[in-house]
Amino acid sequence: MMGLLTAFALFSFACARAFEDGMIAPVSPHKISLQSRSIPKGSSSFRRRALSPTSEPLADFFLGTDLQWFGNISVGTPPQELTVVFDTGSSTLEFASTLCGSVCPQKQFNPNLSSTFVDGGRTSSITFATGVGVDPVVGSNYKLTLRSAKDTVSVAGLSAPSISLFLITNQTPKFDIDPFSGIQGKTASFLGDFVQCFSHECRNGRYCPRNIRRPRETRTTSLYLTPKAVGNAELTLGGIDNSKFTGTPVFASLPSGSGSTWQLRSPKIFVNGQTTSVLNTARTIIFDSGTSNVLFPTATANAIYALISSDIKPNNDEPGTYGIACDLIDTLPATIDIGFTSQSGNNFNLTIPSSELNVGPFASNTSLCQTLINAFDGLDLVGGSLLKHYYSIWDVGNQRMGFAPAAGV
């Protein structure tokens, strides 16, 4: 539905609505637990240790346009390396395992080889209602079967024990094209617990006592999600990489009650410098690094497309999608500015340029190209098509998000 090229139906581990055990529900916060240890008397020196950010390079899954950014994690003892999408739109860790066998062509985790693995014994299934492919999601064609567990997990040199996770034990063939093994949810609950484990004492597999006081800035992660032509994408834990952006970041506060959801209030949307009564309406927009495109309610999607071209029409073969003749789409001006208010009270825009309008040809009609925005009532969400133009800062400690123009983009 949301997404990309021709006959390839790609899975967004990340997006929006999922069915768990057969019942539809939004992705719910899943708090990661870190095992704690008592701190000996006289250990106040823990608080004085120098802290510095650490980064993980990201690869870009690319089929005609950018899809997903993924990088390495390690699971178990001794560590087994896997690749996952780092996803601010979900809250759990799940990946292919040897319990899946030949059904999962991705690199698999073998729980029998980990001395710290604990089987949770609970099975569940998730059927995703949105993907990243141009092929439609039909019934249960995007379904994962999972088994709960816990084990030690390391990201970018930081290690935490007894992390809740899920082993993929079965999956439908739609996932076969994915080059990564799974997803690491990166909602605020994940960052609040995992990223706080950020000091020299907690690196390289050492335990991270919960009651050590850490500066708020250590509970920050940053993303440099670049187009493939630019490269050098990275995830930074515990701070920011000043070399990856230009200018000064602008910060906006998360709305009260956001919980684990990364979202900001937006007063209005402009298309090619224009707005309408529908677009000049306040809304709360979710930022999802695991989704490639944009989801807006039907009325908003229609209002945006009306300001771009009357030739953009819903594609009835795939509910929620829109398209236009491929020989016309690249000629259209389609700059989308989404307005926000900074912590200092100033208005600023995050811009999706015209180059993002073309998502690629539909499998059912290759002369028709899918456009950027999908209609999804009840949800306002932006993904990689916006984020790859900005260096984004996800600050749990100060309950805010920051943006600066991405260097080299």
Side-chain angles (χ1 to χ4, degrees):
M1 287 176 63
M2 285 178 11
L4 274 173
L5 190 70
T6 60
F8 297 108
L10 304 171
F11 167 59
S12 167
F13 280 108
C15 188
R17 299 288 187 261
F19 295 78
E20 183 169 359
D21 295 326
M23 299 190 68
I24 189 166
V27 177
S28 59
H30 184 82
K31 192 171 183 64
I32 290 179
S33 59
L34 294 172
Q35 194 177 80
S36 63
R37 298 173 71 188
S38 61
I39 305 175
K41 291 182 178 179
S43 61
S44 59
S45 59
F46 278 84
R47 300 185 180 93
R48 296 194 297 270
R49 294 297 182 110
L51 303 175
S52 58
T54 183
S55 296
E56 175 65 34
L58 301 180
D60 183 4
F61 186 21
F62 181 85
L63 288 174
T65 187
D66 303 283
L67 288 172
Q68 302 276 288
W69 291 263
F70 59 96
N72 293 329
I73 66 170
S74 296
V75 182
T77 307
Q80 300 177 46
E81 189 172 87
L82 302 166
T83 55
V84 295
V85 171
F86 293 100
D87 176 21
T88 62
S90 64
S91 56
T92 56
L93 170 59
E94 56 213 19
F95 45 78
S97 72
T98 51
L99 299 178
C100 194
S102 61
V103 175
C104 295
Q106 293 83 8
K107 186 175 182 180
Q108 300 173 350
F109 172 76
N110 187 343
N112 293 325
L113 299 181
S114 174
S115 62
T116 49
F117 177 81
V118 177
D119 181 14
R122 183 170 65 86
T123 60
S124 60
S125 63
I126 299 176
T127 300
F128 288 80
T130 58
V132 187
V134 185
D135 283 353
V137 175
V138 179
S140 299
N141 64 342
Y142 282 93
K143 183 177 181 179
L144 296 177
T145 304
L146 307 172
R147 186 175 183 88
S148 64
K150 290 186 177 183
D151 209 334
T152 297
V153 176
S154 299
V155 182
L158 305 181
S159 186
S162 195
I163 294 294
S164 295
L165 53 86
F166 293 92
L167 306 182
I168 298 174
T169 62
N170 198 5
Q171 65 182 31
T172 51
K174 289 291 186 180
F175 300 105
D176 290 354
I177 195 172
D178 295 336
F180 38 82
S181 295
I183 176 176
Q184 170 64 78
K186 215 160 65 65
T187 55
S189 61
F190 162 72
L191 294 177
D193 280 341
F194 193 90
V195 181
Q196 74 170 340
C197 184
F198 199 82
S199 70
H200 295 299
E201 286 76 20
C202 303
R203 291 176 186 265
N204 301 319
R206 298 181 183 179
Y207 290 106
C208 178
R210 266 190 185 275
N211 50 342
I212 296 175
R213 178 179 294 177
R214 297 174 183 81
R216 285 186 173 185
E217 60 267 23
T218 67
R219 301 177 65 196
T220 297
T221 190
S222 303
L223 286 173
Y224 182 58
L225 302 179
T226 61
K228 188 175 181 66
V230 174
N232 297 314
E234 71 174 18
L235 161 75
T236 298
L237 298 177
I240 64 175
D241 183 342
N242 292 294
S243 69
K244 296 298 190 292
F245 61 88
T246 61
T248 302
V250 177
F251 288 91
S253 297
L254 301 181
S256 176
S258 292
S260 290
T261 304
W262 291 107
Q263 57 188 356
L264 296 175
R265 293 288 290 169
S266 170
K268 63 180 66 178
I269 297 172
F270 297 92
V271 180
N272 297 325
Q274 302 178 65
T275 191
T276 67
S277 59
V278 173
L279 302 180
N280 191 17
T281 301
R283 68 193 73 228
T284 299
I285 296 180
I286 295 170
F287 289 79
D288 184 353
S289 64
T291 295
S292 295
N293 298 331
V294 177
L295 297 175
F296 281 130
T298 303
T300 302
N302 289 338
I304 291 174
Y305 286 137
L307 293 174
I308 298 174
S309 173
S310 59
D311 292 324
I312 297 176
K313 304 290 186 183
N315 181 4
N316 293 327
D317 290 341
E318 301 184 23
T321 66
Y322 295 74
I324 187 173
C326 292
D327 59 358
L328 296 178
I329 191 168
D330 291 331
T331 67
L332 297 174
T335 300
I336 301 170
D337 291 304
I338 305 175
F340 298 96
T341 304
S342 71
Q343 287 184 314
S344 59
N346 297 319
N347 295 328
F348 71 97
N349 294 334
L350 297 178
T351 301
I352 304 174
S354 299
S355 59
E356 297 295 333
L357 180 64
N358 188 354
V359 179
F362 285 101
S364 59
N365 180 358
T366 56
S367 67
L368 185 68
C369 278
Q370 183 176 335
T371 47
L372 173 68
I373 298 166
N374 283 14
F376 199 117
D377 289 330
L379 190 66
D380 296 86
L381 180 148
V382 295
S385 55
L386 182 148
L387 291 171
K388 69 184 178 184
H389 298 282
Y390 294 91
Y391 188 85
S392 54
I393 302 165
W394 314 69
D395 186 348
V396 177
N398 293 295
Q399 286 291 286
R400 63 181 185 171
M401 296 184 66
F403 301 91
V409 176

